[in-house]
Amino acid sequence: MYAQLVKSEGSKSREDMTPEEIAFQDRIDRNEKIEPKEWMPEGYRKTLIRQIGQHAHSEIVGQLPEGNWITRAPTLERKAILLAKVQDEAGHGLYLYCAAETLGVSRDELLEKLHSGNMKYSSIFNYPTLTWADMGAVGWLVDGAAIMNQVPLQRTSYGPYSRAMIRICKEESFHQRQGYDIMMKMCAGTPEQKAMAQDALNRFWYPALMMFGPSDKDSVHSAQSMAWKIKMNTNDELRQKFVDQTVPQAEYLGLTIPDPDLKWNEEKGGYDFSEPDWTEFFAVIAGNGPCNAERLGARVKAWEDGAWFRDGLMAHAAKADERARAARHAAE
Amino acid sequence: MSSEWPLWEIFIRGQHGLNHRHVGSLHAPDAEMAIRNARDVYTRRNEGVSIWVVKANDITASSPSEKGPLFDPSNSKVYRHPTFFDIPDEVGHM
């Protein structure tokens, strides 16, 4: 998922809630949407800012690993498709930043927190994209995992977040399909091409499983977020669903999931599979993944290099305003 | 520290002759750039044939606390709906 390890605030039992908090929880239990200016507990507001912010940052930083291949796409059509996909990610980031801003945080504050490392983005984007097959694996697995999480979030309790998710989900399935389409092409190609596809799956499988966040037994923030309906399913539920959906897709491609212990479990009606290496996950989240410095560096550079341009446009707008006012004044 | 671009609310009219509908917001230095950005952010898949942009600061909204006084009075006026009136079947479609 694009928001992992979101720290949730104040888990309270009903007896400890104020009348306002009880009324608020009742609204959520009735599936009413909470809208921007309405009363909400401070913890709800803060948790949502963290979660939506982290989600937005992930969309924006998520452009970088794929942007890497725009100039190297194998055909003009693939290039146009990848460009459209990466542009969508930018759009998704913008929808989500706007949703976060309705909670009283400014865009610049959010960006400052990303750039200073105080807010996170998904661990998945700290892995390198080494070959064209990685574009296939990213679309298929990374966007696939994101969809798994985003579809239920369309029913989240906060109106602007829910509306952003509805829009994003509508656009997202193109992303997964374009990835799978690349994988199909590679797997139907030469043995070398198929080997590239297998290698991409090998490298992205466990990082994709990590996207859902730590195992439920170690996920301390889930209960309150689920009561507030800003988290709809547990990490393990979604991970299981993702594995069950993805294994047959890999089989169709003739690729092998890099997990010797992967096995269908008739009793639970799902696959048993190996957990990712959680030590690696926490290291990547803490900033020590293969590409953390490069990704954040690229974001900060883009922001700083663009400052003169943003300021220039503002100065131009202010002058144009001034001229228009003077013209109106002269006409009166 | 640079100043943040102002926030604009974006309204799009779709293909089928419906009203402009609020679709979201974005930051832009001025109205012209807001329209250009709205084209890229909100109509990448043919969602619209017309865009309105309004500075978010220029919108006055009713407050959530007024919800009762503003909207409750219409609850009791069921006669505003056609289904309130029983028309005999013999009269035919009305």
Side-chain angles (χ1 to χ4, degrees):
Chain A
M1 145 57 170
Y2 282 178
Q4 304 149 317
L5 282 182
V6 174
K7 190 170 161 289
S8 182
E9 303 267 333
S11 187
K12 269 190 191 174
S13 66
R14 205 168 169 91
E15 297 82 69
D16 298 332
M17 288 184 189
T18 64
E20 262 175 327
E21 286 168 339
I22 290 178
F24 179 82
Q25 188 60 50
D26 288 346
R27 289 189 63 198
I28 289 186
D29 294 341
R30 286 196 301 270
N31 286 325
E32 280 180 33
K33 293 280 183 248
I34 309 301
E35 294 296 340
K37 285 182 179 163
E38 295 170 350
W39 186 87
M40 60 186 79
E42 197 48 23
Y44 177 84
R45 198 181 69 84
K46 282 189 177 160
T47 308
L48 264 177
I49 289 177
R50 278 193 208 112
Q51 178 169 328
I52 303 175
Q54 197 182 112
H55 198 158
H57 296 328
S58 299
E59 300 281 358
I60 297 299
V61 177
Q63 295 176 97
L64 297 169
E66 289 177 306
N68 185 36
W69 281 91
I70 290 173
T71 55
R72 280 169 267 193
T75 66
L76 187 57
E77 185 185 56
R78 293 282 179 196
K79 179 175 176 160
I81 293 170
L82 186 59
L83 203 52
K85 198 238 172 198
V86 172
Q87 193 191 16
D88 270 357
E89 306 299 0
H92 297 176
L94 294 178
Y95 308 155
L96 287 161
Y97 280 131
C98 287
E101 286 174 81
T102 63
L103 292 157
V105 63
S106 78
R107 178 78 57 98
D108 282 2
E109 263 174 86
L110 288 168
L111 293 178
E112 193 280 318
K113 283 186 172 159
L114 169 68
H115 297 161
S116 63
N118 287 321
M119 280 180 93
K120 305 290 182 201
Y121 54 88
S122 177
S123 57
I124 190 74
F125 302 118
N126 291 311
Y127 291 86
T129 45
L130 303 176
T131 72
W132 174 250
D134 288 10
M135 295 302 95
V138 166
W140 172 36
L141 301 173
V142 175
D143 289 272
I147 292 171
M148 203 53 86
N149 185 73
Q150 288 168 345
V151 166
L153 275 177
Q154 294 178 102
R155 293 179 283 114
T156 187
S157 61
Y158 188 56
Y161 191 25
S162 157
R163 292 190 283 273
M165 290 320 309
I166 289 170
R167 225 187 144 84
I168 288 173
C169 284
K170 251 190 223 161
E171 300 178 348
E172 197 86 62
S173 67
F174 142 57
H175 297 180
Q176 193 186 12
R177 283 173 175 224
Q178 68 86 35
Y180 197 70
D181 186 63
I182 292 174
M183 292 306 260
M184 285 197 295
K185 197 82 179 171
M186 302 285 290
C187 290
T190 63
E192 288 82 0
Q193 286 169 329
K194 189 163 181 188
M196 276 169 76
Q198 180 64 54
D199 174 59
L201 171 59
N202 292 350
R203 282 180 292 107
F204 276 96
W205 175 252
Y206 287 105
L209 295 187
M210 291 176 196
M211 289 176 67
F212 298 98
S215 166
D216 292 350
K217 57 184 190 298
D218 303 317
S219 183
V220 284
H221 310 300
S222 284
Q224 179 61 70
S225 287
M226 288 183 81
W228 279 332
K229 294 191 186 160
I230 56 186
K231 189 180 170 90
M232 310 300 285
N233 304 86
T234 72
N235 298 349
D236 285 336
E237 274 168 25
L238 291 172
R239 192 167 13 247
Q240 180 71 52
K241 227 176 138 187
F242 174 75
V243 171
D244 293 344
Q245 177 190 284
T246 308
V247 171
Q249 295 168 351
E251 283 168 359
Y252 179 85
L253 294 170
L255 297 179
T256 312
I257 303 279
D259 178 359
D261 296 325
L262 184 92
K263 207 170 137 246
W264 177 255
N265 180 333
E266 190 62 49
E267 208 174 304
K268 75 170 178 186
Y271 286 91
D272 291 331
F273 57 93
S274 305
E275 296 265 313
D277 176 357
W278 293 116
T279 320
E280 176 183 317
F281 169 75
F282 287 109
V284 175
I285 287 277
N288 301 314
C291 299
N292 292 60
E294 186 188 331
R295 300 290 186 239
L296 209 51
R299 281 310 312 152
V300 172
K301 184 175 186 308
W303 179 250
E304 287 175 353
D305 289 355
W308 69 271
F309 182 72
R310 294 192 301 276
D311 291 346
L313 286 181
M314 274 304 275
H316 173 75
K319 270 189 188 167
D321 258 2
E322 196 48 53
R323 270 197 301 273
R325 205 169 307 132
R328 269 200 306 278
H329 195 73
E332 275 163 17
Chain B
M1 171 87 188
S2 313
S3 57
E4 198 174 273
W5 286 352
L7 188 69
W8 300 78
E9 298 298 332
I10 311 301
F11 301 80
I12 307 269
R13 180 151 48 96
Q15 312 271 3
H16 307 293
L18 298 175
N19 288 326
H20 283 78
R21 198 168 70 93
H22 182 244
V23 292
S25 49
L26 53 75
H27 289 270
D30 56 30
E32 190 193 339
M33 285 303 294
I35 287 189
R36 284 170 193 270
N37 291 352
R39 199 276 309 254
D40 289 343
V41 180
Y42 292 108
T43 66
R44 288 193 302 281
R45 288 175 177 76
N46 256 327
E47 287 94 335
V49 293
S50 165
I51 301 174
W52 288 350
V53 300
V54 183
K55 248 190 199 161
N57 278 340
D58 291 339
I59 291 183
T60 309
S62 65
S63 117
S65 60
E66 289 177 300
K67 209 158 122 192
L70 280 179
F71 304 113
D72 284 354
S74 71
N75 279 345
S76 56
K77 299 176 180 58
V78 281
Y79 43 79
R80 285 183 169 152
H81 298 279
T83 45
F84 178 76
F85 303 94
D86 281 329
I87 302 292
D89 287 347
E90 301 90 283
V91 178
H93 178 73
M94 185 180 284

